[in-house]
Amino acid sequence: SRAIRDAARRYGTIFQTGLQQRSDWRFRFACELAINGYLGRIHTVQVAAPGPHYKPVYKGPLDAQPVPPGLDWDMWLGPAPHAAYNPGRVAWPDWYLIWDYCAGFIVNWGVHHLDIALWGCPLLGQEPFEVQCTAAYRDEGFTDNVDGWHATFRYAGGLKMVYSDEGRQKIGCRFIGDEGWVHADRSGIWAEPESLLKARPAPGDVRLHESAHHQADFLAAVRSGCAPVADADAGHKASYLGMVADIAARVGRPLRWDPERERFAGDAEADRMLGRPERSPWRL
């Protein structure tokens, strides 16, 4: 995500990240309530994403099998370590659950709701934080990446984000302030007090980019040269929040994140886990 973000900045590329929830009015409205103080001071953000209920579907043998006609297996593997072809590596959701090919639901589903957290509470991606995370890891067939997880991000000013799989919190993103809360997911929006859902923008309120259709918003950005609703930087930040939580679980200790350097503070082992070896000839 960092390479894509940097390239988009360097070449002035119009890049629309697949964070399509930004094109759903419910998420935009929840974020505008949060960012404009309708909830009072935001002290907690709760984020939950699907994870553990996704199970591998392939139940066959794990030995090498013939590559199907028309599949360029070497290209499919790309920079991942070489491995013999097996249907269990390409089945869905199996390949999503294999560390060599995917960081797992802690990043690849979580990125959607983490992005909403950042959209409504930008400080989550602007200030240093400490993150602690516990996680369980898969061990069925080829699958070996994260299963369930529970992470807490703490910021110097008292702001906290709790991020977990859906078994521990309601799926979606909830902003909690001194004067109320709002929760949005793909099925609806809720608030306490409920009257918040009838709030209308006041003069001087921050208005977030309004997009009614994600693909149409991208085409409009190409025509106008303006940024789309979900640019490369948005995708980058939302992705690394899930990644640093996973790394904290893997090293088994609290980590401190420096958003300016995009590195961990004083932890070379954790820093090394921000990248992976790339199989030749692939390079970023």
Side-chain angles (χ1 to χ4, degrees), residues 133-167:
C133 185
T134 57
Y137 290 87
R138 299 172 183 274
D139 184 17
E140 181 179 353
F142 296 109
T143 68
D144 59 353
N145 68 15
V146 67
D147 191 16
W149 67 91
H150 187 270
T152 303
F153 298 69
R154 298 184 186 277
Y155 297 77
L159 178 64
K160 177 176 71 173
M161 180 168 70
V162 181
Y163 174 44
S164 73
D165 62 80
E166 65 180 314

Side-chain angles (χ1 to χ4, degrees), residues 23-232:
S23 294
D24 182 321
W25 72 268
R26 293 168 294 193
F27 291 102
R28 184 180 69 255
F29 182 61
C31 290
E32 289 186 343
L33 289 177
I35 206 168
N36 286 302
Y38 288 83
L39 311 176
R41 182 186 66 88
I42 301 296
H43 57 77
T44 305
V45 181
Q46 296 175 340
V47 179
H53 73 264
Y54 283 89
K55 300 299 181 184
V57 299
Y58 179 73
K59 305 299 181 184
L62 302 181
D63 58 335
Q65 298 195 27
V67 178
L71 174 61
D72 186 336
W73 179 236
D74 189 64
M75 180 64 75
W76 191 96
L77 286 171
H82 178 74
Y85 172 80
N86 183 284
R89 295 186 177 276
V90 300
W92 165 258
D94 302 41
W95 71 265
Y96 230 56
L97 313 177
I98 300 172
W99 177 246
D100 282 346
Y101 313 137
C102 181
F105 285 86
I106 193 171
V107 177
N108 291 30
W109 219 118
V111 65
H112 294 285
H113 293 309
L114 289 169
D115 173 59
I116 297 305
L118 287 166
W119 209 23
C121 188
L123 286 178
L124 293 171
Q126 296 170 350
E127 294 189 349
F129 58 77
E130 180 182 88
V131 56
Q132 292 180 276
C133 185
T134 57
Y137 290 87
R138 299 172 183 274
D139 184 17
E140 181 179 353
F142 296 109
T143 68
D144 59 353
N145 68 15
V146 67
D147 191 16
W149 67 91
H150 187 270
T152 303
F153 298 69
R154 298 184 186 277
Y155 297 77
L159 178 64
K160 177 176 71 173
M161 180 168 70
V162 181
Y163 174 44
S164 73
D165 62 80
E166 65 180 314
R168 306 164 197 259
Q169 301 180 110
K170 177 178 169 59
I171 193 169
C173 179
R174 178 175 299 207
F175 301 100
I176 306 173
D178 295 333
E179 300 174 21
W181 57 261
V182 63
H183 185 108
D185 66 19
R186 295 186 182 184
S187 64
I189 182 170
W190 304 264
E192 180 62 42
E194 193 172 356
S195 58
L196 286 166
L197 299 179
K198 298 180 181 179
R200 293 297 177 264
D205 275 1
V206 174
R207 303 306 306 277
L208 299 174
H209 184 130
E210 185 171 346
S211 162
H213 188 281
H214 211 60
Q215 292 90 333
D217 184 79
F218 169 69
L219 295 175
V222 172
R223 295 186 187 105
S224 67
C226 297
V229 66
D231 62 13

